[in-house]
Amino acid sequence: MGKQLLRSGTSVAANYRATCRARSRAEFAAKLGVVVEEADESMLWLELLADSGVVRRERLNSLQSEARELTALFTASRHTTRNCR
């Protein structure tokens, strides 16, 4: 689970960087969708680490909060981009 979290967490950063280099609004929205998916997957792995008892929930609270905030931000940005004309 830890390795999966590492993969999805670093994928958020890599894909966001690619998003910033998009050539069109459609490409930006599509790439941002990948960022949202990876951020959501990272939240899943954090939840599973806590639920399984591998890591104490108290140690993950701040990471889970940050992951929720980032996912909400990326989701809102994607929604705005797709609905902006």
Side-chain angles (χ1 to χ4, degrees):
M1 285 186 275
K3 287 182 181 181
Q4 288 299 121
L5 175 59
L6 178 64
R7 286 186 188 107
S8 62
T10 54
S11 181
V12 171
N15 283 296
Y16 183 75
R17 184 173 178 153
T19 298
C20 293
R21 288 162 174 69
R23 293 168 291 216
S24 67
R25 183 179 303 236
E27 184 179 3
F28 181 86
K31 288 180 181 286
L32 199 53
V34 175
V35 173
V36 170
E37 290 173 9
E38 294 296 331
D40 186 59
E41 182 180 336
S42 295
M43 288 190 339
L44 168 72
W45 294 117
L46 287 168
E47 291 168 13
L48 290 175
L49 283 167
D51 292 348
S52 67
V54 172
V55 179
R56 287 191 334 257
R57 191 171 301 280
E58 298 78 36
R59 293 196 68 194
L60 295 175
N61 283 340
S62 62
L63 288 174
Q64 287 179 302
S65 177
E66 186 77 15
R68 280 190 296 274
E69 289 174 18
L70 286 170
T71 302
L73 184 137
F74 294 137
T75 301
S77 294
R78 184 169 186 242
H79 179 73
T80 299
T81 300
R82 292 173 73 194
N83 293 324
C84 188
R85 298 189 196 262

